[in-house]
Amino acid sequence: MNDTANFISKETINMLSNISLDDVAERLGHTLRRSGNNYALFCPNPNHGFEKKPDTMISLSKGLFKCFGGGGCGCRGNNAISFYSWHTYGSAEKEYFKDSVIGLAEIYGIPVKFENGKVIKNDSVQIVPKQRAVMDEVPAQPDEICNKVYRRYLSLCPLLEDHVKEWRERRKYSDSEIQAFGLRSVPTSVEQANQIVRTLLEEGYNLDRIPGFSKALKVNGDPANEDDWYWIIGMQGKYYLPVRNELGLIVRLRVATGRTDGKAKYVWFSSDPTSPDEIKNSTVYSRDRLRIGGAPSGAVINVTVPSKLLKLWKPGDELSHYFDTSVAIVTEGEHKSTITANYTNQLVFGLPGAGNYQDLIPLAKRMQIKKLVIAIDTDAFVDKTKKQGKNVIVFQHLQNMVTLCIKEDIEVVLWCWNPEDGKGLDDSLLNGVLPIEIDILTNDRKVVSLPYTG
Ligand SMILES: [Zn+2]
């Protein structure tokens, strides 16, 4: 290491960041399968472990890559340097940045310039890399606006008998819990969806950049003519699960897909717009897939409270006015969070996936949480289907979370349960079995008792 580590020139970083992701992936030996504007490949993270099929996506229009295999190992990024870093070091943490820049530059024979004028020349033959399409991610509307549109939208969506039955029987929600949670079915026909969109527009709601809504082009429409585009709703999936922020605003919708084929059981209600380049280069044959006006949902943490409190919580109010928020339980998924909140009478943070914890500590600090209880599925410790007997990736996420908490002076404990009592914490609780709490620093263990007093 030397003192130039942090001073690689912007010029070099920009040059390397603009290399197209498919170009660097192929040069690193990955096999890419193209479908539309995306590529599928096996995860570049060497720690990912065995994969049956290529579940990592490169989106050319967005200039992103992301691993979805087994819920995702956290491998994701938006430029060639981070791709190189994941491929080479199994991580894109800062500590690998400089070596990744140098390694990537070497592949292309690009000299690495430092701010102090020093240059690492590369003797290898210079290759002109393919440049990536430049498109900034479209931001969604602020939370307050999304909240208003989603609340009205949900109120217009149907409640299908099958779904209500599932919520009552499988999830054991009472009708008033279903109501408080705000569960609703996805519209079942195009006519119904169109009617809902019409109502929203007539009532003056602006659907622009609300994730899940987007405009499609009329048949034989001209992409350049604004009037040839009309609002639509993505209609895949069974029902919606509202996702709330710390002020109780419904900021995103999660969609239960009802899939049992190993594909995602939950997806985001999201609407990535097509890149302007792709619209410009579209032909009459590809125009039915063009979308404008939408925004990607991102992956947000679901702030969940017991249903009886949810009924009282006025959107926009700070939760601490109603409820003790010194402790929060961290788990995954919307149903799990709600069931856990109801059974423990605690605040629960539902992570969209075990790897999506980057926003956890900032959220905990904003809410002045003193203690986090990490209750991630037990396959982090025991997974007989995995060679090492534990799911290494989830375990890694868990370790990272604990380290972050300790760094920020937030007390942290783990909740564990026997997988035979239920795969998720919700299953275990529904089966009447309380978890075991492990103090990370002392390794003390005790059975959790309710009411939980921290
Ligand atoms: Zn992966």
Side-chain angles (χ1 to χ4, degrees):
M1 280 292 161
N2 56 48
D3 57 358
T4 56
N6 298 321
F7 301 111
I8 293 171
S9 71
K10 286 223 169 64
E11 182 193 337
T12 299
I13 293 171
N14 285 343
M15 197 181 282
L16 295 173
S17 301
N18 284 330
I19 297 174
S20 188
L21 290 168
D22 57 321
D23 193 294
V24 69
E26 280 188 329
R27 284 183 207 282
L28 290 171
H30 292 274
T31 305
L32 307 182
R33 279 190 214 162
R34 180 152 194 166
S35 88
N37 214 21
N38 297 319
Y39 287 102
L41 65 154
F42 284 105
C43 183
N45 176 6
N47 301 328
H48 185 112
F50 177 73
E51 292 175 286
K52 276 193 211 138
K53 52 185 176 46
D55 278 329
T56 292
M57 300 303 290
I58 290 178
S59 160
L60 285 189
S61 56
K62 282 178 273 168
L64 300 170
F65 63 93
K66 186 175 177 189
C67 163
F68 294 94
C73 64
C75 171
R76 60 186 299 176
N78 59 8
N79 63 58
I81 301 170
S82 60
F83 190 94
Y84 181 93
S85 187
W86 275 106
H87 168 94
T88 311
Y89 305 107
S91 161
E93 292 286 322
K94 261 198 211 121
E95 56 185 299
Y96 304 112
F97 183 75
K98 184 190 157 204
D99 289 339
S100 297
V101 165
I102 293 172
L104 181 63
E106 205 180 319
I107 294 179
Y108 291 96
I110 293 172
V112 178
K113 292 183 185 165
F114 291 83
E115 292 294 2
N116 64 4
K118 202 183 133 194
V119 180
I120 301 178
K121 287 211 181 93
N122 273 307
D123 296 332
S124 39
V125 183
Q126 194 159 351
I127 302 168
V128 179
K130 189 177 147 193
Q131 299 290 298
R132 69 167 180 179
V134 184
M135 190 187 173
D136 292 331
E137 183 148 309
V138 180
Q141 291 282 3
D143 289 351
E144 297 77 23
I145 296 178
C146 291
N147 172 65
K148 283 189 185 135
V149 175
Y150 286 142
R151 281 180 191 268
R152 181 61 182 139
Y153 173 59
L154 289 171
S155 76
L156 297 166
C157 284
L159 269 170
L160 296 189
E161 211 172 307
D162 277 1
H163 301 160
V164 176
K165 204 173 151 208
E166 181 191 320
W167 303 329
R168 282 178 185 152
E169 289 174 10
R170 177 145 169 248
R171 311 286 177 180
K172 304 204 168 64
Y173 294 132
S174 69
D175 288 355
S176 80
E177 281 171 350
I178 293 171
Q179 172 95 28
F181 193 170
L183 296 169
R184 285 286 171 148
S185 304
V186 173
T188 50
S189 68
V190 176
E191 292 73 48
Q192 191 175 42
N194 288 345
Q195 181 56 53
I196 292 173
V197 166
R198 226 168 11 245
T199 306
L200 287 171
L201 294 172
E202 278 166 14
E203 290 179 355
Y205 289 94
N206 181 0
L207 305 181
D208 196 45
R209 288 186 290 115
I210 305 289
F213 296 91
S214 57
K215 282 177 176 176
L217 189 64
K218 283 179 187 162
V219 179
N220 299 324
D222 171 8
N225 182 358
E226 216 174 295
D227 293 337
D228 282 354
W229 297 86
Y230 64 102
W231 286 103
I232 58 159
I233 305 164
M235 285 180 52
Q236 55 281 67
K238 282 165 52 177
Y239 61 83
Y240 298 116
L241 300 111
V243 172
R244 290 168 168 85
N245 72 358
E246 71 234 59
L247 295 173
L249 303 176
I250 296 180
V251 293
R252 294 293 183 270
L253 301 180
R254 200 79 151 134
V255 186
T257 60
R259 297 185 84 138
T260 51
D261 55 1
K263 293 247 173 72
K265 288 195 176 99
Y266 298 95
V267 296
W268 291 99
F269 189 50
S270 180
S271 48
D272 287 338
T274 315
S275 74
D277 262 1
E278 210 184 330
I279 293 177
K280 212 174 75 195
N281 299 326
S282 65
T283 66
V284 278
Y285 304 104
S286 63
R287 282 189 182 154
D288 59 332
R289 286 201 305 271
L290 303 181
R291 296 290 181 268
I292 62 168
S297 68
V300 303
I301 295 176
N302 189 15
V303 178
T304 313
V305 298
S307 301
K308 60 175 188 245
L309 176 64
L310 191 51
K311 285 176 214 166
L312 306 174
W313 190 9
K314 233 176 83 217
D317 275 4
E318 271 181 40
L319 198 50
S320 55
H321 296 167
Y322 297 81
F323 188 59
D324 176 11
T325 55
S326 55
V327 177
I329 300 171
V330 181
T331 187
E332 276 178 86
E334 281 67 40
H335 280 306
K336 245 175 241 175
S337 304
T338 299
I339 292 167
T340 304
N342 284 345
Y343 274 73
T344 60
N345 208 24
Q346 295 291 321
L347 169 63
V348 176
F349 293 151
L351 302 182
N356 302 101
Y357 54 82
Q358 294 80 357
D359 301 331
L360 177 65
I361 303 297
L363 172 68
K365 294 196 82 175
R366 279 201 305 278
M367 294 185 75
Q368 297 179 326
I369 307 280
K370 302 278 182 296
K371 176 177 177 180
L372 287 176
V373 174
I374 300 184
I376 304 279
D377 272 7
T378 45
D379 61 6
F381 307 102
V382 202
D383 187 345
K384 291 187 182 125
T385 63
K386 298 269 156 55
K387 209 167 137 200
Q388 299 94 326
K390 64 184 182 190
N391 185 330
V392 178
I393 292 161
V394 179
F395 190 71
Q396 239 168 37
H397 291 324
L398 207 83
Q399 277 183 322
N400 293 344
M401 262 187 261
V402 168
T403 311
L404 285 172
C405 287
I406 293 171
K407 228 194 233 167
E408 295 294 337
D409 226 6
I410 296 171
E411 192 189 342
V412 57
V413 295
L414 299 182
W415 277 10
C416 300
W417 53 95
N418 187 336
E420 280 156 28
D421 296 324
K423 187 180 178 289
L425 178 58
D426 53 338
D427 304 312
S428 183
L429 291 170
L430 289 174
N431 291 333
V433 181
L434 288 163
I436 290 173
E437 180 167 309
I438 305 178
D439 184 312
I440 311 230
L441 296 176
T442 61
N443 212 18
D444 281 346
R445 286 152 195 256
K446 62 173 187 203
V447 179
V448 170
S449 57
L450 294 181
Y452 186 67
T453 49

